[in-house]
């Protein structure tokens, strides 16, 4: 399965219907980043282990009803200071 062509809403629906796990979604995102990052150069820091660990926890505990998009992987511009992760403001 490829993530290309899916909307955020569709991925969220698939997560809640258990058609895909948060861990699978994160792994597919990491795989896609690995495929194209040398050409695109969009990420300075990528916490693969941390993202997979958080996704696994969401799969085990369930996605909170007040945070329906919690399991969707996102990239954050690193001009925000992050705990336990380097911030370069690049």
């Amino acid at each position: 399965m490829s993530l290309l062509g899916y909307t955020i809403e569709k991925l969220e629906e698939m997560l809640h219907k258990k058609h895909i796990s948060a861990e699978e979604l994160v792994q597919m995102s990491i795989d896609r980043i690995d495929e194209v990052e040398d050409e695109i150069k969009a990420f300075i820091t990528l916490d693969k282990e941390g993202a997979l660990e958080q996704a696994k926890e969401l799969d085990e505990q369930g996605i909170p009803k007040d945070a329906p998009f919690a399991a969707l992987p996102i990239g954050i511009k690193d001009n925000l200071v992050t705990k336990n992760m380097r911030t370069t403001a690049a």
Side-chain angles (χ1 to χ4, degrees):
M1 178 179 157
S2 170
L3 295 176
L4 300 176
Y6 285 93
T7 64
I8 289 172
E9 290 83 5
K10 182 62 177 175
L11 291 171
E12 188 262 343
E13 177 186 324
M14 291 169 66
L15 284 164
H16 284 282
K17 289 184 176 181
K18 309 253 189 254
H19 294 166
I20 189 171
S21 70
E23 189 174 7
E24 290 171 318
L25 179 58
V26 169
Q27 187 61 60
M28 286 189 291
S29 299
I30 290 169
D31 292 346
R32 180 64 180 160
I33 291 166
D34 287 344
E35 285 176 29
V36 300
E37 183 57 18
D38 287 343
E39 184 178 338
I40 295 177
K41 298 178 179 20
F43 293 93
I44 294 172
T45 303
L46 187 61
D47 184 12
K48 296 176 185 182
E49 290 178 20
L52 286 167
E53 183 179 309
Q54 288 178 5
K56 189 173 184 176
E57 287 176 19
L58 282 170
D59 286 333
E60 291 169 359
Q61 298 171 4
I63 299 169
K65 297 216 185 291
D66 63 341
F69 298 112
L72 295 174
I74 60 168
I76 298 175
K77 174 84 172 106
D78 80 341
N79 63 348
L80 304 172
V81 178
T82 50
K83 184 177 181 179
N84 300 323
M85 189 177 288
R86 74 180 181 160
T87 303
T88 66

